[in-house]
Amino acid sequence: MVPKPRVQHSRAFFLGLLTLLLAGLSACSPAFNWRVVPNEDLGYSATFPDKPVQVTRQLQLLQAQVPLTLQAAQAQDVYFAVGTVPLTGAWAGRGQALTAALAQALANNVRAPTPQLSSEEWLGLPGQRISLQGSLPDGRPAVVMARFFVHRDVLFEVVAMGPATALGAEVSTPWFTGFRLLGR
């Protein structure tokens, strides 16, 4: 189990990273404007609701620094992101532990209880998913939906997070069905 200060640190980092990403998006997110955005470098395309930004940072997880690349966009208070972590070097074979740590970090962002990962095949690959209910910092009910899977030694995290009133099937369906792996 991760000591409490580490969990708070990862939550603070995630919120800081989210703030940084959203600051770059705040002026251009008036409504859902779905567009397919290929990411050739990371091997996927995603249908984002607005123009995404990409950032790579070291995230404190599992008592170590984890290189996490996020491509994200926000529209109508809903945050959409694809995160990737290379499972090489010290992280080779640690996809399951990293999945659990990333799921916990997402739960921390919305003050949700410890997430229960469910096995699910997605895109023809074995993976896991979470669906969480919690609250935003302003107290509004929040929802987090995420899918995790490993492909070609990369852990993928596909996330939609936001107010419960804004994150229904009409928003989550185009997001999750619009994700594709390139070169398959």
Side-chain angles (χ1 to χ4, degrees):
M1 177 176 266
V2 178
K4 185 116 176 115
R6 292 279 187 211
V7 171
Q8 288 175 339
H9 180 70
S10 69
R11 179 169 188 228
F13 179 84
F14 237 38
L15 288 174
L17 186 58
L18 177 60
T19 300
L20 174 69
L21 287 169
L22 298 181
L25 299 170
S26 62
C28 57
S29 307
F32 294 104
N33 182 11
W34 298 103
R35 79 251 345 251
V36 175
V37 179
N39 190 320
E40 302 283 338
D41 293 337
L42 295 172
Y44 68 85
S45 71
T47 303
F48 283 95
D50 203 347
K51 184 178 179 182
V53 295
Q54 183 171 309
V55 63
T56 300
R57 296 283 187 264
Q58 297 294 316
L59 181 62
Q60 180 70 32
L61 292 173
L62 303 175
Q63 301 175 358
Q65 297 292 314
V66 177
L68 174 70
T69 298
L70 282 175
Q71 187 174 29
Q74 181 187 18
Q76 296 184 358
D77 290 334
V78 180
Y79 170 74
F80 301 86
V82 177
T84 58
V85 176
L87 297 177
T88 57
W91 299 109
R94 304 222 29 220
Q96 187 64 31
L98 282 168
T99 296
L102 286 167
Q104 184 62 58
L106 290 170
N108 293 345
N109 284 333
V110 295
R111 299 180 183 117
T114 300
Q116 298 298 314
L117 289 155
S118 302
S119 294
E120 174 183 84
E121 185 174 298
W122 194 46
L123 305 171
L125 297 168
Q128 295 183 300
R129 69 179 304 207
I130 58 171
S131 183
L132 305 171
Q133 295 181 358
S135 62
L136 296 171
D138 65 8
R140 291 182 295 162
V143 173
V144 175
M145 297 177 209
R147 293 195 170 91
F148 306 89
F149 65 94
V150 173
H151 178 64
R152 295 184 180 162
D153 294 326
V154 175
L155 172 62
F156 286 83
E157 166 191 54
V158 182
V159 178
M161 176 172 49
T165 57
L167 188 50
E170 69 283 353
V171 174
S172 64
T173 299
W175 170 242
F176 287 108
T177 60
F179 182 87
R180 300 278 183 263
L181 291 169
L182 301 176
R184 283 186 44 137

